[in-house]
Amino acid sequence: MAFDIDMIKGVYTKMAERVDKAREIVGRPLTLSEKILYNHLWDGMPTKAFERGKDYVDFAPDRIACQDATAQMALLQFMQAGKSKVAVPTTVHCDHLIQAKDGAVADLRHANSVSSEVFNFLESVSNKYGIGFWKPGAGIIHQVVLENYAFPGGMMIGTDSHTVNAGGLGMVAIGVGGADAVDVMAGMAWELKFPKLIGVRLTGKLSGWTAPKDVILKVAEILTVKGGTGAIVEYFGSGALSMSCTGKGTICNMGAEIGATTSTFGYDDSMERYLRSTDRADVADAANKVKSYLTADAEVYANPELYFDQVIDINLSELGPLLNGPFTPDLSSTVGTDIKEKALANDWPMTVEWGLIGSCTNSSYEDLSRASSIAQQALDKGLKMKAELGINPGSEQVRYTAERDGILQVFEKLDAKIFTNACGPCIGQWARYSDPKNAPKNSIVHSFNRNFAKRADGNPNTHAFVASPEITAAIAIAGRLDFNPMTDKLINEKGEEVMFDEPTGWELPPKGFEVKDNGYLAPEEDGYHVQVKVDKDSERLQLLEPFEPIGNTINGAKLLIKAFGKCTTDHISMAGPWLRFRGHLDNIANNTLIGAVNAFNKKTNFVKNQLTGEYGGVPDVQREYKKNHILSVVVGDHNYGEGSSREHAAMQPRFLGVAAVIVKSFARIHETNLKKQGLLGLTFANEADYDLIQEDDTFNFIDLKDFAPDKPLTLEAVHADGSKDLIKLNHTYNAAQIAWYNEGSALNLIKKQNA
């Protein structure tokens, strides 16, 4: 039986009336995305048609999911909200703080030792406030959510950008910062700009070496890392119907890499099969009663150009396996000759040192079974691994079932390392090198979602390529980046030429899923007596102090850094070893923007201190400004803040005294996080004005007292020689968001309203 079945039935009970009313108001057939959005309006019954990409709308999500790295700050904020219990079903999943090194048993034991303080804090807070808690080793948040909580037609938010994975079960699931989650936990509305809609029509059928992963790798090539910004991507067509539920999850998961608000598929037979196989027949039965409301109206898919803002066509029968990378998930190559030519032209290392299979993107039973079919062929054909191979199962249920069915043993016979059911290398939790900054140039292939520089192992010289699990397995066995399993032969131990056959696998376990201990701890019904303790001398956890409002008079602010090129949340607040400080704002602030490239010297963590004229680390210089009560400004390029939803990338600059972030364009989640923390997130009205910013600039915001929706601001940039430039800045703040700024943060406003 499903968790929260009564809540799910309640969503379905309201759906027909609300969707019918929305269709009447909008005056046309509706996409699936619109049906879900209109069914989750905070005010209930629809009363107006919203303009895509313009109207800010209040929604009422059904549930919240948090992973341990981001949950710390989210729950530290929730503790200040004045509530005794979360208002909607919420879960915490311990998957980010487990470092991959020696294997599952040893790594989990080590994590429970070094991070026990954090795990105990999260467990106690969860127990006190009515939050479901998934212990370390229980699994990766998004796979666990897909197996236990996701349901067709639902709306979920999560404090991780890959929350979108639940779109594989027909949800509108959206990654947010912790402050957004706190709003909903506290019983308040969640605000989102009504998304634009991108339709992806899938025809044909996947076969051979082509996998669902290749669909999203192709979409990433088409749309790039920012092409989906502000939009929901809705997949449909005969090709979508022929795909497994977990395959759909993989596609939705990597939608975060194109900047999409979320991605989703209409409810179909594959979702029903998955629900029933994961002991949720009650959800399937309830969904079947409103089946027509859990997909788009027929007219939409028949003539998608009339209903979507953009339509992309992909014929799965013509799609081949792809490799995306290095250093960005949208640089796409076909396996074999194409990747070889690019590697030779760009001096990418041809030898592959590691293949990694798993992460929240590709860690299902189906993924492991298809990859193991390649591993089994290597054993049968007498092939030895040329690269090392690592496996991260998605959940304890997947791991237990895969072990029962002999899948993991196949990998182990090839000397693969089975890591904990956790994120591991995907989010930088990989103890691959003792000195990653000085590690050698190399290539790896993985089935993860992100491949930014230093993302997996901290080594800036690691060239990471993204592929399907089966291609990852084949390339790892061959040990060469240019290996094409469809055409290339390998020499086995007997000196014979052999080729791989096409991969095979199971959509679902033939004998069903099985698990002895799934790792779930239910909260107490009344957690009033539960004590949450945070040691004042802890280096891992720190109770929060409210931010003071920046105010409407900003004069004499200094330039902290002008970031050059790509500046993701990994550049602003690195993961890896810094994850241990995610619950301690002062300590983690010491990594603020240390990965960003300074436009004036092309170095990282090396900026000019305008008070001394000397150069130093970004957080060191900023702490000097803060000590002298001087505000500062960060300037950035396009798609600033892409990547993870981590709100630390907004909280840290705010804590250190940054008043404004001015860029050519923002990634959606990061822009919202800046607003939530009471910062100014602004864009150049003329992108060329980025070039006007000089290293010794001081800034005056000359009309901030008139801060209002749809009204640009004017920045006076005072240069070292006394000359000045007036720069027009745009913003997307509405009245409510300006109130957050005026109060110092959204949380300050919540506390004020709950007082």
Side-chain angles (χ1 to χ4, degrees), residues 596-609:
V597 177
N598 184 351
F600 300 108
N601 55 29
K602 301 303 186 290
K603 295 181 179 180
T604 58
N605 203 28
F606 200 65
V607 297
K608 188 172 184 178
N609 182 335

Side-chain angles (χ1 to χ4, degrees), residues 18-24 26-35 38 234 295-301 307:
R18 291 185 177 184
V19 171
D20 288 347
K21 185 64 176 178
R23 190 186 294 111
E24 174 188 324
V26 174
R28 57 168 174 75
L30 297 177
T31 65
L32 166 65
S33 304
E34 290 171 311
K35 290 181 180 181
Y38 277 107
E234 185 171 325
T295 190
D297 291 332
E299 299 94 329
V300 172
Y301 292 162
Y307 304 101

Side-chain angles (χ1 to χ4, degrees), residues 389-559:
L389 184 64
I391 310 292
N392 281 85
S395 69
E396 176 57 15
Q397 178 168 264
V398 166
R399 188 211 64 79
Y400 188 92
T401 306
E403 183 176 60
R404 179 202 67 189
D405 295 347
I407 288 174
L408 296 187
Q409 292 87 325
V410 173
F411 293 123
E412 290 173 332
K413 288 176 183 177
L414 281 177
D415 295 323
K417 192 163 285 187
I418 310 298
F419 293 124
T420 316
N421 314 319
C423 302
C426 184
I427 49 95
Q429 283 285 54
W430 187 19
R432 183 184 181 193
Y433 298 110
S434 58
D435 183 14
K437 290 183 180 178
N438 296 305
K441 186 175 180 178
N442 74 103
S443 287
I444 65 174
V445 177
H446 60 57
S447 69
F448 306 160
N449 37 47
R450 290 194 174 136
N451 58 347
F452 304 141
K454 299 187 280 187
R455 170 81 179 185
D457 58 12
N459 178 5
N461 298 309
T462 292
H463 293 55
F465 297 84
V466 185
S468 68
E470 44 267 60
I471 288 293
T472 298
I475 289 179
I477 292 165
R480 286 189 60 81
L481 189 64
D482 61 343
F483 177 67
N484 184 346
M486 296 178 288
T487 60
D488 296 348
K489 296 177 180 178
L490 296 172
I491 305 298
N492 68 10
E493 291 182 286
K494 297 179 181 179
E496 301 167 333
E497 288 187 338
V498 296
M499 286 185 66
F500 284 117
D501 301 318
E502 293 178 352
T504 59
W506 293 275
E507 174 187 354
L508 297 164
K511 294 188 288 185
F513 283 108
E514 187 177 351
V515 66
K516 284 192 175 178
D517 178 8
N518 65 4
Y520 174 72
L521 295 177
E524 293 194 22
E525 188 65 33
D526 183 359
Y528 177 79
H529 68 283
V530 176
Q531 296 296 312
V532 178
K533 294 182 180 180
V534 175
D535 188 335
K536 63 181 178 61
D537 297 321
S538 172
E539 70 164 17
R540 300 288 301 270
L541 298 165
Q542 179 187 49
L543 295 176
L544 296 174
E545 295 290 336
F547 289 133
E548 292 292 329
I550 293 171
N552 296 117
T553 303
I554 301 176
N555 293 313
K558 303 294 187 184
L559 176 69

